Amino acid sequence: MRAWLPAWLSHYRRDWLAGDVVAGVVVTLLLVPQGLAYALVAGLPPAVGLYASLPPLLLYGLIGKSHAQSVGPMALTSLLAAATLARLAEPGSGEYLALAVWLALLSGAMLIALGLARLGFLADFLSLPVLSGFTSASALLIVLSQLAPLLGLHAQGASLPVLLMGLLEGLGRIDTAALAFGGAALLWLAGARRALPPALARTAPALAVLAALLAVRQAGWEGRLPVVGPVPSGLPSLALPVLPWGRLGELMLPAFFMALINYVQSLSVAQLLAAPRRERVEPDRELLALGVCNVGAGLFGGFPVTGGLTRSLVNAAAGANSQLASWVAAAGIALVLLFAGDALASLPLAVLAAIIVAAVAPSIRFGVLRQAWRADRADAVAFALTFALVLLLGVESGIVVGVLVSLGAWQWRSSRPHMAEVGRLPGTQHYRNVARFTAETLPGVLFLRVDESLYFGNARLVRDAVLERLSERPELTTLVLIMSAVNRLDVSAVAMLEWLDDSLAARGVTLALAEVKGPVAAVLARAGLLERFAGRHYLSTHEAWERFAAAPEFHI
Amino acid sequence: MRAWLPAWLSHYRRDWLAGDVVAGVVVTLLLVPQGLAYALVAGLPPAVGLYASLPPLLLYGLIGKSHAQSVGPMALTSLLAAATLARLAEPGSGEYLALAVWLALLSGAMLIALGLARLGFLADFLSLPVLSGFTSASALLIVLSQLAPLLGLHAQGASLPVLLMGLLEGLGRIDTAALAFGGAALLWLAGARRALPPALARTAPALAVLAALLAVRQAGWEGRLPVVGPVPSGLPSLALPVLPWGRLGELMLPAFFMALINYVQSLSVAQLLAAPRRERVEPDRELLALGVCNVGAGLFGGFPVTGGLTRSLVNAAAGANSQLASWVAAAGIALVLLFAGDALASLPLAVLAAIIVAAVAPSIRFGVLRQAWRADRADAVAFALTFALVLLLGVESGIVVGVLVSLGAWQWRSSRPHMAEVGRLPGTQHYRNVARFTAETLPGVLFLRVDESLYFGNARLVRDAVLERLSERPELTTLVLIMSAVNRLDVSAVAMLEWLDDSLAARGVTLALAEVKGPVAAVLARAGLLERFAGRHYLSTHEAWERFAAAPEFHI
């Protein structure tokens, strides 16, 4: 029986309870406005955001490993969903909603498959600059997309030109009542973040919702400005909308893409939460849990979900000790769905827009760009390109180009390796770049260190660089290639070494190898090159040095 | 005046002359049947092969650097041209010919542009296994495509299924006269290669052509089997066929592709020829020369050309001392075009097909596959995939997938770095993998060497592996990260190191760095990490060892 319980439940400690309950209530207060708001970002009826919140809270509690991870609707995920769905169906249509559900189901299934196949490492190919550029540009897009509801306008879109056009067209039709509610909520949220103690600031969005509901009712303004509208009372029920096969095919690539982004986001939250408690994050388990959460959200009419950074930090700070906090929040959401649906109906959309803007604006950050510019120009270019293309072309094209740029730049650099002539630091057994250190050299012997694994991408260049150095210094009779930084070797590089050895032999120059690592030696052995280099293959640079210093005139 | 002459001409030595003239004549005898035959492979009238031969010989002599390089029609290039052109126009049509001319012009222009922009390194991304797989599969396709003319059938195509279908359909209509000529020529060529001295074997194709022409005339069989047909007498003239812009656009990608393949081929021939003479090959100059040759071929109604391996080796072996040999061959081709056009008209196509099969069959080689299978499985997969896809999908898709597989495999491996705990070889200052060598360790201190540059693709994995080792060995108080094999560092890896340092500090473990290379230290400095690691950053592993061996209880 105990084996079927989640680990945290089977050794639950009574003193965790208070913290878990408080955290669950705080998360509920945060999640209700977030759920409604992020459904709007995704172009869906606000109630869908609450449906999408309930199953993940329950399921993550069952199989998730992170004590404070709070899986549910997220701004970025919703923007991604909107970008995909707006291409495939009319926002507001039944088909649009059905596609949203299937996007959650498919991306969930893919997450589960990736977890079972242990392919979580795929997410590693999203570099930090690409992710930051993507997050910042997406946050900017989300803020811009919320200007329309803040001003009482209708506008949809997931790229900068479309959003700006929509805003410009609507400028003459600004709804002052919406603007008043939205502006007041924005000022309150910004003020609360600065002035209130953190514990209270977390409930600021819930207070804004409450105040707005009271104000609308008090003033009798229900019909005068855009509001959330009916939230059907009752829990979500299991239902699977039918879609033709062709439509599912169109969702495959976006679902894969969404799975990766949601996974990266969820994983980084889990790692952040685990660090201070010295918990170990199992990426493949996290994949599995997130996949099940998404399938759960989809089966109950929701849309894609992931681990939210703010919400999870709030959960942890409010005292969550275990996944029970998530179950308490689930109960809270269920209560809201059962009893508070009618009350939420007259909530102005402008207030939700203000909550989104306040939540997302801090994510527009250029710190990584500055850091990248100093440390690595290619990374800075990857950030800038991703940022610009997400804004101009949309989220998917932007991130795909960003990933290709990071991969291409890394590969390009590996094709132009750093090579250094090394010499001995006087009186030691240490060998360093003669251009950076005062080092001794041996007459007639060139000690050359190649700072890169050798493969097809750089084999020709390395060979040419070696030949160039030799023709510049005709007095050389020996070349010692120091392989301490050569981590791998492919067949093209093996062929190059053979060619180089023949070519140097024809010039009367001996080629010797030093510091060949285990894996590289294994490749040389399998290719039959260890025999060729027998007697010219030294364990250390120092061994080679002593050998050639002792008998400079004698070369094997 | 002298400055305008090619370098070889301005210091021409009289004793080169005999060798150059003999080589030029031998190349002419080889090039006439090759030119006719490779035009057929490209789906063009045989005479186009002769037009395409003349300008490159003259132009390469003017600006090319390799003494024996013989630029002209090539089997692989012709197959590539056929694969492209057959998609765009009806073989035999005027448009097909015009597209062939523009393919030469555009790929020539691209080669020149690549040469001026010094982008020759792009060709390095064709790894040896991909190139070998491509060459072997293409050779097999060429042999299969020549079975049709050998049997007197008509068949066109550039992929295995199409070729096999064509052959199967035609099986009932085999032309015995064509088969007799083709079979006899094939036997003669195969026998000549084995039995004749090399000097004579080179002229075997020309002798086959002569014998076939005499036999056809003697027997009066002109009308009874497919022959070359009219070869208009006279030199090719300058002419530019007009094509609509849209068609040119369709040629862009294939032209780029052809430029790369032709460049790789030409460059490897130039390097092979240069090696024994210790000449230096300038890749960008080679690009330029090949580009001019292709533009020249196109302007005079030819199709794409490149440096041919066999022909160049024949040129060198026949005694070519300078580019004058190419000019002699150009004169030979001009004489053939002026006076021997009528005589060639009755040459059976089956004989040309036999010449192609004999020339190309030795290129079907699996040596690299065997070598790659032993040395590097990913390379073997790249070979096999390229080979299979070239056969099944066609030359372009095959090589593109091959390149992506090699790049992806290399990148994938860099994402799973080898890490080794190292210890001191007793009594020395050398540190080696404790799993491979008998080495001392220090209690409480882990010396860990990461055998890969650190970047977004492996940052998380390295971090997790470090944390895993630390949690397995709770007695550790110090981790020395040996960076001798870390050649580069990106922003994601910098962030990982910061995170790791914080995380280890929280566990009471000191993180120290050793053997940080110049370029990596520069990145750390720019990112502000050198200050963070001040006092925990050792020049050598030995320095770190002595430091921690001296005061094991004291950790900064």
Side-chain angles (χ1 to χ4, degrees):
Chain A
M1 169 70 201
R2 279 209 144 205
W4 289 94
L5 289 178
W8 62 267
L9 193 53
S10 57
H11 42 72
Y12 195 83
R13 285 160 43 186
R14 195 169 293 174
D15 60 334
W16 290 355
L17 191 62
D20 281 344
V21 170
V22 171
V25 172
V26 171
V27 165
T28 307
L29 292 178
L30 185 63
L31 188 49
V32 171
Q34 275 192 346
L36 297 169
Y38 297 151
L40 276 182
V41 171
L44 294 164
V48 173
L50 297 182
Y51 300 159
S53 302
L54 191 50
L57 287 171
L58 288 173
L59 292 168
Y60 193 87
L62 264 182
I63 51 170
K65 288 286 230 179
S66 169
H67 72 287
Q69 175 81 279
S70 181
V71 177
M74 262 299 300
L76 201 78
T77 303
S78 299
L79 180 74
L80 257 177
T84 299
L85 301 175
R87 277 205 318 264
L88 300 176
E90 189 62 33
S93 65
E95 194 178 19
Y96 189 95
L97 181 56
L99 284 166
V101 164
W102 274 101
L103 191 57
L105 289 171
L106 289 175
S107 69
M110 286 176 187
L111 284 164
I112 295 172
L114 288 173
L116 294 177
R118 309 191 150 270
L119 289 175
F121 73 88
L122 280 181
D124 295 340
F125 287 101
L126 292 168
S127 72
L128 189 63
V130 168
L131 266 181
S132 306
F134 172 67
T135 311
S136 292
S138 301
L140 184 55
L141 280 179
I142 293 171
V143 167
L144 287 173
S145 77
Q146 294 311 306
L147 287 181
L150 259 178
L151 302 171
L153 304 171
H154 283 279
Q156 284 283 345
S159 81
L160 192 62
V162 177
L163 283 170
L164 290 181
M165 286 291 289
L167 282 175
L168 282 176
E169 279 176 345
L171 275 187
R173 292 176 281 112
I174 289 177
D175 183 327
T176 44
L179 183 55
F181 270 93
L186 210 49
L187 285 175
W188 156 246
L189 291 168
R193 184 193 302 260
R194 298 204 180 167
L196 292 185
L200 268 177
R202 277 168 226 143
T203 59
L207 293 175
V209 166
L210 258 166
L213 286 174
L214 287 175
V216 167
R217 183 161 301 183
Q218 214 62 21
W221 277 354
E222 275 94 348
R224 290 205 34 208
L225 76 178
V227 294
V228 164
V231 176
S233 274
L235 297 178
S237 55
L238 199 69
L240 205 59
V242 180
L243 270 188
W245 276 108
R247 304 250 74 181
L248 289 185
E250 291 172 316
L251 281 178
M252 284 301 181
L253 204 64
F256 178 70
F257 194 65
M258 171 152 277
L260 277 193
I261 295 283
N262 282 345
Y263 169 59
V264 171
Q265 199 163 332
S266 199
L267 186 65
S268 66
V269 172
Q271 279 163 342
L272 210 69
L273 295 168
R277 291 167 61 116
R278 298 207 196 177
E279 283 177 355
R280 206 171 115 54
V281 175
E282 293 167 37
D284 292 315
R285 177 66 178 257
E286 226 19 61
L287 264 174
L288 216 63
L290 188 62
V292 171
C293 287
N294 271 287
V295 169
L299 286 177
F300 288 90
F303 63 114
V305 293
T306 187
L309 178 60
T310 323
R311 204 166 52 228
S312 299
L313 289 179
V314 163
N315 194 23
N321 291 308
S322 77
Q323 287 87 326
L324 186 67
S326 281
W327 285 1
V328 173
I333 296 287
L335 289 175
V336 169
L337 276 170
L338 286 172
F339 305 111
D342 288 344
L344 287 172
S346 53
L347 178 64
L349 293 181
V351 173
L352 286 182
I355 292 173
I356 298 173
V357 168
V360 158
S363 304
I364 308 175
R365 274 189 309 247
F366 295 90
V368 170
L369 176 61
R370 216 170 22 243
Q371 208 181 330
W373 184 253
R374 279 202 306 261
D376 185 336
R377 293 289 154 93
D379 271 346
V381 169
F383 178 102
L385 258 179
T386 309
F387 183 84
L389 292 179
V390 165
L391 284 184
L392 297 174
L393 299 182
V395 279
E396 296 183 357
S397 328
I399 204 163
V400 167
V401 172
V403 168
L404 292 179
V405 166
S406 341
L407 286 176
W410 191 252
Q411 192 94 45
W412 189 78
R413 290 204 188 164
S414 75
S415 76
R416 322 193 87 53
H418 177 249
M419 296 174 74
E421 179 179 356
V422 305
R424 182 164 72 162
L425 299 186
T428 72
Q429 297 187 10
H430 299 309
Y431 294 81
R432 289 291 180 282
N433 189 345
V434 296
R436 290 179 189 255
F437 293 84
T438 313
E440 308 168 329
T441 56
L442 280 184
V445 186
L446 173 62
F447 287 83
L448 197 62
R449 196 185 68 209
V450 185
D451 284 350
E452 192 67 57
S453 291
L454 295 174
Y455 78 119
F456 59 92
N458 59 25
R460 189 186 58 78
L461 209 120
V462 167
R463 188 194 62 192
D464 288 354
V466 165
L467 293 179
E468 177 100 29
R469 279 176 195 253
L470 289 180
S471 33
E472 278 165 8
R473 293 166 60 180
E475 81 282 6
L476 293 174
T477 55
T478 306
L479 170 69
V480 181
L481 217 51
I482 303 173
M483 312 269 279
S484 55
V486 176
N487 301 312
R488 293 173 289 140
L489 207 63
D490 77 346
V491 169
S492 308
V494 166
M496 181 275 278
L497 280 180
E498 272 181 305
W499 194 96
L500 191 62
D501 187 40
D502 287 342
S503 173
L504 293 198
R507 294 169 188 238
V509 174
T510 305
L511 175 62
L513 305 178
E515 312 214 14
V516 176
K517 294 188 176 177
V520 173
V523 170
L524 290 178
R526 287 197 297 270
L529 252 70
L530 275 196
E531 290 158 38
R532 176 192 269 255
F533 282 99
R536 294 184 281 148
H537 168 203
Y538 301 92
L539 188 61
S540 67
T541 307
H542 187 64
E543 212 174 290
W545 176 279
E546 297 209 313
R547 165 73 188 71
F548 292 113
E553 76 293 343
F554 171 63
H555 299 117
I556 301 167
Chain B
M1 171 69 199
R2 279 209 144 204
W4 290 93
L5 288 180
W8 62 268
L9 193 53
S10 57
H11 43 73
Y12 195 82
R13 284 162 40 187
R14 193 170 294 174
D15 60 335
W16 290 354
L17 192 63
D20 282 344
V21 170
V22 170
V25 171
V26 171
V27 166
T28 306
L29 291 179
L30 186 63
L31 189 49
V32 170
Q34 275 193 345
L36 297 169
Y38 297 151
L40 275 183
V41 171
L44 293 163
V48 173
L50 297 183
Y51 300 159
S53 302
L54 188 51
L57 287 171
L58 288 173
L59 292 168
Y60 193 87
L62 263 183
I63 50 170
K65 288 286 230 178
S66 169
H67 72 287
Q69 175 81 278
S70 182
V71 177
M74 261 300 299
L76 201 79
T77 303
S78 299
L79 180 75
L80 257 177
T84 300
L85 301 174
R87 277 205 318 264
L88 300 176
E90 189 61 34
S93 65
E95 195 177 20
Y96 189 94
L97 180 56
L99 284 166
V101 165
W102 274 100
L103 191 57
L105 289 171
L106 288 176
S107 70
M110 286 176 188
L111 284 165
I112 295 172
L114 288 173
L116 294 177
R118 308 191 151 269
L119 288 175
F121 74 88
L122 281 180
D124 294 341
F125 287 101
L126 293 168
S127 72
L128 189 63
V130 168
L131 266 181
S132 307
F134 172 67
T135 310
S136 292
S138 301
L140 183 55
L141 280 179
I142 293 171
V143 167
L144 287 173
S145 77
Q146 296 311 305
L147 287 183
L150 259 178
L151 303 171
L153 304 173
H154 282 279
Q156 283 285 341
S159 81
L160 192 61
V162 177
L163 283 171
L164 291 182
M165 285 291 290
L167 283 175
L168 283 177
E169 280 177 345
L171 275 187
R173 292 176 280 113
I174 290 177
D175 183 327
T176 44
L179 183 55
F181 270 93
L186 208 51
L187 286 176
W188 157 245
L189 291 169
R193 185 192 300 262
R194 297 202 180 170
L196 292 186
L200 266 178
R202 278 167 225 144
T203 58
L207 293 176
V209 166
L210 258 166
L213 286 173
L214 288 175
V216 168
R217 183 161 301 182
Q218 213 64 17
W221 278 352
E222 274 94 346
R224 289 207 32 210
L225 77 177
V227 294
V228 163
V231 176
S233 275
L235 297 178
S237 55
L238 199 69
L240 205 58
V242 179
L243 268 188
W245 276 108
R247 304 249 74 181
L248 289 185
E250 292 172 314
L251 280 178
M252 284 300 180
L253 205 63
F256 178 71
F257 194 67
M258 172 152 275
L260 277 193
I261 294 284
N262 281 347
Y263 169 58
V264 171
Q265 198 163 335
S266 198
L267 185 66
S268 65
V269 171
Q271 279 164 342
L272 210 69
L273 295 169
R277 290 168 62 117
R278 298 209 196 177
E279 283 178 353
R280 207 172 115 54
V281 175
E282 293 168 38
D284 293 315
R285 178 66 180 256
E286 224 25 56
L287 264 174
L288 216 64
L290 188 62
V292 170
C293 287
N294 270 287
V295 169
L299 285 177
F300 287 91
F303 64 114
V305 293
T306 187
L309 178 60
T310 324
R311 203 166 52 228
S312 299
L313 289 179
V314 163
N315 194 22
N321 291 308
S322 77
Q323 287 86 326
L324 186 68
S326 282
W327 286 3
V328 172
I333 297 288
L335 289 175
V336 169
L337 276 169
L338 285 172
F339 304 112
D342 287 344
L344 288 171
S346 53
L347 178 65
L349 292 181
V351 173
L352 286 183
I355 291 174
I356 298 173
V357 169
V360 158
S363 304
I364 308 175
R365 273 190 309 246
F366 294 91
V368 170
L369 177 62
R370 216 170 22 243
Q371 206 181 330
W373 185 253
R374 279 202 306 262
D376 184 336
R377 294 290 153 92
D379 271 346
V381 169
F383 178 102
L385 258 179
T386 309
F387 183 84
L389 292 179
V390 165
L391 284 183
L392 296 175
L393 299 181
V395 277
E396 295 183 358
S397 327
I399 203 163
V400 167
V401 171
V403 167
L404 291 180
V405 166
S406 343
L407 286 175
W410 191 251
Q411 192 93 45
W412 189 78
R413 291 205 185 164
S414 76
S415 75
R416 323 193 83 56
H418 178 250
M419 295 174 72
E421 178 181 355
V422 304
R424 182 165 72 163
L425 299 186
T428 72
Q429 298 186 11
H430 299 310
Y431 295 81
R432 289 291 181 280
N433 189 345
V434 295
R436 291 181 190 253
F437 293 85
T438 313
E440 309 167 330
T441 57
L442 280 184
V445 186
L446 174 63
F447 287 83
L448 195 64
R449 196 185 68 207
V450 186
D451 284 349
E452 191 68 57
S453 291
L454 295 174
Y455 78 118
F456 59 92
N458 59 24
R460 187 185 61 76
L461 209 121
V462 166
R463 189 195 61 193
D464 289 354
V466 165
L467 293 179
E468 177 99 30
R469 280 176 194 252
L470 289 180
S471 37
E472 279 165 8
R473 294 166 59 179
E475 81 282 6
L476 292 174
T477 56
T478 306
L479 170 69
V480 181
L481 216 52
I482 303 173
M483 312 269 279
S484 55
V486 176
N487 301 312
R488 292 173 290 140
L489 207 63
D490 78 346
V491 169
S492 308
V494 166
M496 180 276 276
L497 280 180
E498 271 182 305
W499 194 96
L500 192 62
D501 188 39
D502 286 342
S503 173
L504 294 197
R507 295 171 185 235
V509 174
T510 304
L511 175 62
L513 305 178
E515 312 214 14
V516 176
K517 294 190 177 176
V520 173
V523 170
L524 290 178
R526 287 197 297 270
L529 252 71
L530 275 196
E531 290 157 39
R532 175 191 269 255
F533 282 99
R536 295 185 280 148
H537 167 203
Y538 300 91
L539 188 60
S540 68
T541 307
H542 188 63
E543 213 175 289
W545 176 279
E546 296 210 313
R547 166 72 188 70
F548 292 112
E553 78 292 343
F554 170 65
H555 299 118
I556 301 169

